[in-house]
Amino acid sequence: MFVVVALFFIWGGLTSLNDILIPKLKGMFSLSYTEAMLTQFAFFTSYFIVSLPAGNLIARVGYLKGIVIGLGTMALGCLLFIPASGSATYSTFLLALFVLAGGITVLQVAANPLIANMGSAATASSRLTLAQAFNSLGTTIFPPIGGAIILGTMAKVDPAGLPEAERTAFLARESAVIGNAYLLIAAILILLAAYFWWRRDQMSTSRESRISYSGSFSLLKQPRLGGGVAAIFLYVGAEVSIGSMLINYLAQDNILGVTEQAAAGLIALYWGGAMLGRFIGAAVLRLLSPGLVLAAFCIGAASLAAISGLSSGVFAGYALLAVGLMNSIMFPTIFSLGLEGLGDRTPQGSGLLCMGIVGGAFIPLLVGAVADSSTLSMALAVPISCYLLIAIFGWSARNVAR
């Protein structure tokens, strides 16, 4: 369990770095909000494509080798930032993010059901919430460090207005910062993969029988799993959308009016709230119905986002940051509720639930389009709607599935 929980920390931190890349790439390539959100589209589309094949892969090679393959793929994605930096082309950065997310997907498909099944089904939500707390620890630590490294050198200049030679030099300089940061991350991931491979015979894992996915989608007819996939889609989309817009949102003169680097540091409060809420939620979910707790937290998130969008100044900024606390128990609770009652078909259900993470690709694009046509405050209407729909799922899943 300790080894699996450590992986939650790693992929959480790497996913949160997307929130740092968005304002960086937006400034470098003079992107609109919709174009900038393509970073999340590239990243989370990988979940949709890779999830089911990842489940089949893990069934064939075992959990530990699956972890090694996932870490290796993540390292490859990080290394692709080097040629992306050399070309200084937006599309190459998107390709690197897609590959990186593919590796993270392999880890997710294995780790979430593994934690959920390490004990009583009645406390699965509690265990997964505790593991996700360490995921949030990664998302809390990485953004301030990434902001200092990646955004710290960001020049206050619009590259679109520079002469061609100066613009080329500007893009090369700013791209190199990103490439060097991900090169260091790749080195760490390779060392971790080597360590897990070395310890492969000392870690207790069980190899599943080969899974056939020909009938996987028929599982969506089960209301609990089908609703869970939809709720994961909406939750990840809402969480990613808010995290992606936070730096630009907080930097507005009518909100906090801080620099982008300072705003990157404040993101730690958003993800830190999720971490704190998950540690608390791990205990609360042992006492109360997970479905009811989920519904209550969703209403809280929607209320805070609405308060932020309808106000301004410090109050608006910190109200939106507080949504992180409400997000805390949502993913692990939805995931465990979706898997209830699947028995031997749990791995297939896990793959389908992970496919729902593709919401992080599409919903941020919608948020970006609304922001471009109106304001960032108006764009909050999209995640608010998502939270209210998830609350309905939580209420419907308040009783244990049979």
Side-chain angles (χ1 to χ4, degrees):
M1 184 175 290
F2 173 81
V3 174
V4 176
V5 166
L7 297 177
F8 280 74
F9 172 83
I10 294 166
W11 85 59
L14 287 178
T15 301
S16 68
L17 283 183
N18 291 355
D19 299 339
I20 307 301
L21 280 177
I22 286 174
K24 180 76 170 185
L25 296 174
K26 185 177 185 297
M28 284 173 54
F29 297 105
S30 302
L31 306 173
S32 67
Y33 285 113
T34 305
E35 291 168 335
M37 289 299 186
L38 286 174
T39 57
Q40 300 291 27
F41 181 83
F43 190 89
F44 286 98
T45 297
S46 188
Y47 279 90
F48 182 78
I49 296 173
V50 176
S51 289
L52 290 181
N56 202 15
L57 170 70
I58 292 166
R60 288 187 283 115
V61 305
Y63 286 111
L64 187 55
K65 290 182 180 178
I67 288 171
V68 174
I69 293 171
L71 288 169
T73 305
M74 290 164 65
L76 174 61
C78 290
L79 290 173
L80 287 175
F81 278 91
I82 306 302
S85 299
S87 68
T89 304
Y90 185 42
S91 59
T92 58
F93 283 103
L94 299 181
L95 174 62
L97 284 167
F98 180 86
V99 176
L100 172 61
I104 294 176
T105 303
V106 176
L107 298 186
Q108 287 248 38
V109 172
N112 284 303
L114 208 58
I115 289 289
N117 289 324
M118 285 182 174
S120 167
T123 55
S125 292
S126 174
R127 282 192 306 279
L128 194 50
T129 298
L130 182 61
Q132 287 284 346
F134 288 91
N135 178 278
S136 295
L137 179 61
T139 61
T140 302
I141 292 174
F142 276 56
I145 298 174
I149 296 172
I150 296 174
L151 295 179
T153 63
M154 193 67 181
K156 297 298 181 181
V157 60
D158 182 6
L162 295 175
E164 185 61 29
E166 292 184 27
R167 181 176 182 275
T168 300
F170 170 84
L171 291 177
R173 182 174 65 254
E174 298 294 341
S175 296
V177 174
I178 300 174
N180 291 336
Y182 278 88
L183 177 60
L184 174 61
I185 295 171
I188 294 172
L189 291 171
I190 291 171
L191 289 174
L192 284 170
Y195 174 77
F196 284 126
W197 178 257
W198 175 55
R199 296 292 297 271
R200 65 190 183 278
D201 296 326
Q202 300 177 41
M203 179 179 173
S204 178
T205 59
S206 59
R207 181 174 299 186
E208 304 278 347
S209 58
R210 184 181 178 90
I211 299 173
S212 171
Y213 283 101
S214 59
S216 291
F217 289 100
S218 65
L219 286 174
L220 293 175
K221 296 178 182 178
Q222 298 190 21
R224 181 63 63 85
L225 179 61
V229 172
I232 288 286
F233 180 94
L234 294 168
Y235 163 72
V236 175
E239 181 193 51
V240 170
S241 295
I242 293 176
S244 300
M245 67 188 289
L246 264 176
I247 291 179
N248 293 114
Y249 187 83
L250 297 176
Q252 294 177 110
D253 292 335
N254 67 322
I255 305 296
L256 297 185
V258 296
T259 64
E260 290 182 338
Q261 187 176 354
L266 289 172
I267 287 182
L269 296 177
Y270 179 71
W271 296 112
M275 177 183 66
L276 177 62
R278 282 170 175 171
F279 280 118
I280 297 172
V284 172
L285 288 166
R286 289 178 176 268
L287 304 174
L288 302 175
S289 164
L292 292 178
V293 174
L294 173 63
F297 273 60
C298 286
I299 293 172
S303 299
L304 285 168
I307 289 170
S308 179
L310 295 171
S311 58
S312 61
V314 174
F315 187 70
Y318 283 94
L320 193 59
L321 287 169
V323 172
L325 179 64
M326 296 294 105
N327 283 338
S328 57
I329 59 92
M330 292 189 197
F331 183 90
T333 304
I334 295 169
F335 207 97
S336 58
L337 288 173
L339 291 178
E340 275 187 1
L342 290 185
D344 293 339
R345 305 197 73 179
T346 294
Q348 292 168 292
S350 175
L352 290 168
L353 285 165
C354 284
M355 285 181 67
I357 296 174
V358 76
F362 292 99
I363 293 178
L365 282 180
L366 177 58
V367 169
V370 175
D372 285 330
S373 62
S374 56
T375 65
L376 286 172
S377 294
M378 286 294 296
L380 287 173
V382 178
I384 289 170
S385 301
C386 293
Y387 288 128
L388 293 177
L389 290 171
I390 302 168
I392 296 173
F393 168 76
W395 176 258
S396 69
R398 63 190 181 277
N399 298 318
V400 177
R402 300 299 180 185

